[in-house]
Amino acid sequence: MADWRKLALETILADGVIDDAEVRVLQKELWADKKIDAKEVEFLIELRNSAQKKAKAKKVEVNPKFETLFFKAIEQNVLRDGKISNKEAGWLRKMLFADGKIDDNEKKFLGRIKKSATKTSPDFDQLYQECLAR
């Protein structure tokens, strides 16, 4: 049986970049049901990590439109109840530090979700402070 997720990743990154047309398709398909679920977020994380590796090898940046889509999906998923729990903070830590560093887009993202959240956990507050200090 084909691994559709792997096929989609390899197809999107076949030319080494996520272009604007691919971003539009991702947005249309992932939000077809007006929400983003955990499996879709996992796919986007895997896609972003793969794109970052390819971009680093080519010495180019990941498409800013994809970055916007990516962080929108993460934000909607994490803030679906308005709160950031300790469990979600741990998940965010793992996702953000997957490449061993925190970039400016990730810092901006953390600031946005902190501002948008109705309540944050101590673990999230610690993650936020740690990331901004880098």
Side-chain angles (χ1 to χ4, degrees), residues 16-17 51-62:
V17 296
Q52 285 178 324
K53 287 177 188 169
K54 287 187 180 277
K56 186 176 179 180
K58 287 184 164 190
K59 297 183 177 150
V60 297
E61 289 185 17
V62 174

Coordinates of all heavy atoms in Angstrom, one line a residue, residues 16-17 51-62:
G16 N 12.6 20.9 -4.7 CA 13.4 21.5 -3.6 C 12.8 22.7 -2.9 O 13.4 23.1 -1.9
V17 N 11.7 23.2 -3.4 CA 11.1 24.3 -2.7 C 9.5 24.1 -2.7 O 9.0 23.3 -3.5 CB 11.4 25.6 -3.4 CG1 12.8 26.0 -3.4 CG2 10.9 25.6 -4.9
A51 N 11.5 20.8 4.2 CA 11.7 22.0 3.4 C 12.9 22.8 3.9 O 13.8 23.3 3.2 CB 10.5 22.9 3.3
Q52 N 13.0 22.9 5.3 CA 14.1 23.7 5.9 C 15.5 23.0 5.5 O 16.4 23.7 5.3 CB 13.9 23.8 7.4 CG 12.9 24.8 7.8 CD 12.7 24.8 9.3 OE1 12.7 23.8 10.0 NE2 12.4 26.0 9.8
K53 N 15.5 21.7 5.6 CA 16.7 20.9 5.3 C 17.1 21.2 3.8 O 18.3 21.4 3.5 CB 16.5 19.4 5.5 CG 16.5 19.1 7.0 CD 16.3 17.6 7.2 CE 16.0 17.3 8.6 NZ 15.6 15.9 8.8
K54 N 16.2 21.1 2.9 CA 16.5 21.3 1.5 C 16.9 22.8 1.3 O 17.8 23.0 0.5 CB 15.3 21.0 0.6 CG 15.1 19.5 0.5 CD 14.0 19.1 -0.5 CE 13.8 17.6 -0.6 NZ 14.7 17.0 -1.5
A55 N 16.2 23.7 1.9 CA 16.5 25.1 1.7 C 17.9 25.4 2.3 O 18.7 26.2 1.6 CB 15.5 26.0 2.5
K56 N 18.3 24.8 3.4 CA 19.6 25.0 4.0 C 20.7 24.5 3.0 O 21.7 25.2 2.8 CB 19.7 24.3 5.3 CG 21.0 24.6 6.0 CD 21.0 24.0 7.4 CE 22.3 24.3 8.1 NZ 22.3 23.7 9.4
A57 N 20.4 23.4 2.4 CA 21.4 22.8 1.5 C 21.6 23.7 0.2 O 22.7 23.8 -0.3 CB 21.0 21.4 1.1
K58 N 20.5 24.3 -0.2 CA 20.5 25.1 -1.4 C 20.8 26.6 -1.0 O 20.9 27.4 -1.9 CB 19.2 25.1 -2.1 CG 18.9 23.9 -2.8 CD 17.5 24.1 -3.6 CE 17.4 23.0 -4.6 NZ 16.2 23.3 -5.5
K59 N 20.9 26.9 0.3 CA 21.2 28.2 0.8 C 20.1 29.2 0.3 O 20.3 30.3 -0.2 CB 22.6 28.7 0.4 CG 23.7 27.9 1.0 CD 25.0 28.4 0.6 CE 26.0 27.5 1.4 NZ 27.2 27.3 0.7
V60 N 18.8 28.7 0.4 CA 17.7 29.6 0.2 C 16.7 29.5 1.4 O 16.9 28.7 2.3 CB 16.9 29.1 -1.1 CG1 17.8 29.3 -2.3 CG2 16.4 27.7 -1.0
E61 N 15.7 30.4 1.4 CA 14.8 30.4 2.5 C 13.5 29.6 2.1 O 13.2 29.5 0.9 CB 14.4 31.9 2.8 CG 15.4 32.7 3.4 CD 14.9 34.1 3.8 OE1 13.7 34.3 3.9 OE2 15.8 34.9 4.1
V62 N 12.9 29.1 3.1 CA 11.6 28.5 2.9 C 10.6 29.6 2.5 O 10.7 30.7 3.0 CB 11.1 27.7 4.2 CG1 9.7 27.2 4.1 CG2 12.1 26.6 4.6

